[in-house]
Amino acid sequence: MNKIIIAIDGHSSCGKSTLAKQIAQALGYVYVDTGAMYRAVTLFAIRNNLIKNGTPDKEALISSLIDIKLSFELNNDNLPEIVLNGENVEKQIRSMEVSGLVSPVSVISEVRRYLVQQQREIAKNKGVVMDGRDIGTVVFPNAELKIFLTASPEVRAERRYKELIEKGTPASYKDVLANLQERDYIDSNRSDSPLKQADDAVLLDNSNLTREEQFNETMQLVKKVLS
Ligand code: DC
């Protein structure tokens, strides 16, 4: 069967990765979480004092890109986890500290170019479900299926807050809501590759959808493309 590229873009914490993982598993495709790549670069920047008072030291970070080696390894559930210079940092990149600094790091064009090149390399044989902000617009403008996923900020904050608490990560609902609204703003208003719905993307608002309904709707779209 023909393999395709499925691009899932959308706002912060709207369940892109949950959907992307389910679709990848159903099709036997590779799942690529591009947000994890931007988060790992941010973690590297924090650890190496390349962010001062919330502002990345752009020149220093750009010169350090060569020292940032990213890869993915499969966990026991067969799901990819991000590896930064040989260390699995899947858990560390989900902290509120990284969430608070990742958008300013993602604004830097050289960071984007460095990661986009790797994203294209990973998907060169297709059979990939990739989620992010610019996958359908910039990384794969010719992706066979593009989904633009969203939900109301309150619904997203509530889901994200519950997830953090369940994982034992300290968080407050107010901070989570403020963080995702700030990220939405920066991600949608940056000049390089802003978050926006591609003209040919299908809009899916999952505020009132269960995971199963969202999965079924997407699988219908996949089947249509593959038929
Ligand atoms: O998907 P996420 O919330 O883990 O992504 C974290 C941040 O990374 C997001 O706020 C913006 C940035 N990002 C990006 O600029 N482009 C992508 N393709 C994916 C993520």
Side-chain angles (χ1 to χ4, degrees), residues 46-171:
I46 294 169
R47 286 178 169 178
N48 290 279
N49 293 319
L50 303 175
I51 303 183
K52 307 262 155 60
N53 301 321
T55 307
D57 179 340
K58 197 174 150 192
E59 294 315 315
L61 180 53
I62 294 168
S63 330
S64 299
L65 286 175
I66 187 127
D67 300 322
I68 303 178
K69 303 277 180 263
L70 300 179
S71 57
F72 287 94
E73 67 183 16
L74 294 179
N75 67 14
N76 293 338
D77 296 323
N78 225 18
L79 289 169
E81 297 192 338
I82 189 114
V83 175
L84 165 65
N85 293 335
E87 177 191 354
N88 183 319
V89 290
E90 185 64 32
K91 192 159 188 288
Q92 291 85 332
I93 59 162
R94 309 286 163 196
S95 71
M96 283 299 282
E97 186 187 17
V98 171
S99 298
L101 295 168
V102 63
S103 282
V105 167
S106 320
V107 161
I108 302 169
S109 294
E110 286 81 357
V111 170
R112 306 202 67 81
R113 277 209 290 276
Y114 183 67
L115 296 183
V116 167
Q117 188 194 343
Q118 296 177 36
Q119 290 153 11
R120 291 186 177 141
E121 179 63 26
I122 295 171
K124 66 175 192 269
N125 296 323
K126 300 206 173 188
V128 162
V129 185
M130 194 173 281
D131 79 26
R133 303 292 187 287
D134 58 344
I135 312 306
T137 50
V138 174
V139 186
F140 296 114
N142 297 322
E144 288 83 354
L145 177 61
K146 301 177 187 179
I147 311 277
F148 192 86
L149 200 61
T150 193
S152 76
E154 291 73 20
V155 167
R156 289 186 277 136
E158 184 66 36
R159 289 180 189 152
R160 182 85 189 112
Y161 169 71
K162 278 194 189 145
E163 205 177 274
L164 285 167
I165 296 301
E166 272 163 25
K167 282 186 189 152
T169 309

Side-chain angles (χ1 to χ4, degrees), residues 148-219:
F148 192 86
L149 200 61
T150 193
S152 76
E154 291 73 20
V155 167
R156 289 186 277 136
E158 184 66 36
R159 289 180 189 152
R160 182 85 189 112
Y161 169 71
K162 278 194 189 145
E163 205 177 274
L164 285 167
I165 296 301
E166 272 163 25
K167 282 186 189 152
T169 309
S172 84
Y173 170 81
K174 217 172 112 240
D175 289 350
V176 171
L177 178 63
N179 169 255
L180 69 86
Q181 285 176 321
E182 189 189 351
R183 283 201 286 142
D184 285 351
Y185 182 82
I186 302 178
D187 296 346
S188 309
N189 290 284
R190 65 180 175 225
S191 57
D192 188 346
S193 320
L195 166 66
K196 65 170 196 250
Q197 186 181 340
D199 292 340
D200 52 350
V202 179
L203 177 68
L204 203 60
D205 183 329
N206 67 17
S207 302
N208 298 306
L209 293 181
T210 63
R211 283 181 181 188
E212 198 188 349
E213 287 166 339
Q214 155 178 286
F215 170 72
N216 289 337
E217 280 200 24
T218 309
M219 281 307 285

